[in-house]
Amino acid sequence: MVEGKRAGWRGRPRLLSRRRVLSSGSLAGYDLSGIDLHEADLRGANVHLADLTEADLRGADLARAYLRQACLRQAALVGANLGQADLRDVDLRGADLTDADLREADLQGADLRGANLAGADLRGARLDEATQIDERWRIVWEVVNRGAADRDLR
């Protein structure tokens, strides 16, 4: 099992097991890269600045979680619930968000280049000019949230 350590601390980092992660109120700043948190209940968790690179979060519930500036590069988020999550400035490059629930999630400034959003629910999700996302997914987001009127979808 992969364990996490607190990033940026002087001295010996604190280690976190999956069990401790699930019982913790705050994961802010921890290095949890590669950790297995599939189907974990992390609703409303503070995950600010955490490193979840290549983490397994398939089916995890991160609704209303505060993930601002977290690193979720190459993370497996298939079927994850990220509804109303704060994902501002999050690194989601190469993440698999297939069938993820991103309804009303704040993705302003997030980096989603190379992410797989097939089947993801983007209704009400907030993107801005700073959000880096492959053009096809930006078009999907625009159609879902602004409609397809006057758009050539051929």
Side-chain angles (χ1 to χ4, degrees), residues 12-32:
R12 194 164 170 226
R14 291 173 50 198
L15 294 179
L16 287 179
S17 65
R18 174 186 167 94
R19 186 173 173 183
R20 181 126 181 244
V21 165
L22 295 176
S23 65
S24 174
S26 176
L27 303 175
Y30 279 96
D31 178 352
L32 301 168

Side-chain angles (χ1 to χ4, degrees), residues 94-105:
D96 189 353
L97 290 150
T98 302
D99 298 325
D101 182 351
L102 290 159
R103 286 178 292 172
E104 298 181 31

Side-chain angles (χ1 to χ4, degrees), residues 58-145:
R58 292 171 295 133
D61 191 348
L62 290 149
R64 296 175 309 284
Y66 182 69
L67 291 130
R68 190 163 190 187
Q69 297 176 314
C71 183
L72 290 152
R73 191 179 309 157
Q74 300 290 326
L77 290 151
V78 176
N81 180 5
L82 292 154
Q84 298 179 342
D86 186 343
L87 296 162
R88 290 176 290 168
D89 304 313
V90 169
D91 184 353
L92 284 158
R93 287 179 286 173
D96 189 353
L97 290 150
T98 302
D99 298 325
D101 182 351
L102 290 159
R103 286 178 292 172
E104 298 181 31
D106 191 344
L107 290 159
Q108 295 177 84
D111 190 345
L112 291 121
R113 291 176 291 175
N116 183 357
L117 291 160
D121 190 341
L122 296 167
R123 290 177 289 172
R126 292 180 296 287
L127 276 65
D128 63 6
E129 328 56 68
T131 304
Q132 298 179 59
I133 187 169
D134 297 343
E135 186 61 25
R136 68 180 174 162
W137 299 122
R138 187 172 294 273
I139 291 169
V140 169
W141 174 80
E142 287 175 359
V143 168
V144 166
N145 290 286

Side-chain angles (χ1 to χ4, degrees), residues 1-4 31-38 51-57 71 73-76:
M1 169 191 286
V2 175
E3 294 184 330
D31 178 352
L32 301 168
S33 51
I35 197 164
D36 180 4
L37 293 173
H38 74 278
D51 184 354
L52 289 155
T53 301
E54 297 182 353
D56 182 354
L57 291 157
C71 183
R73 191 179 309 157
Q74 300 290 326

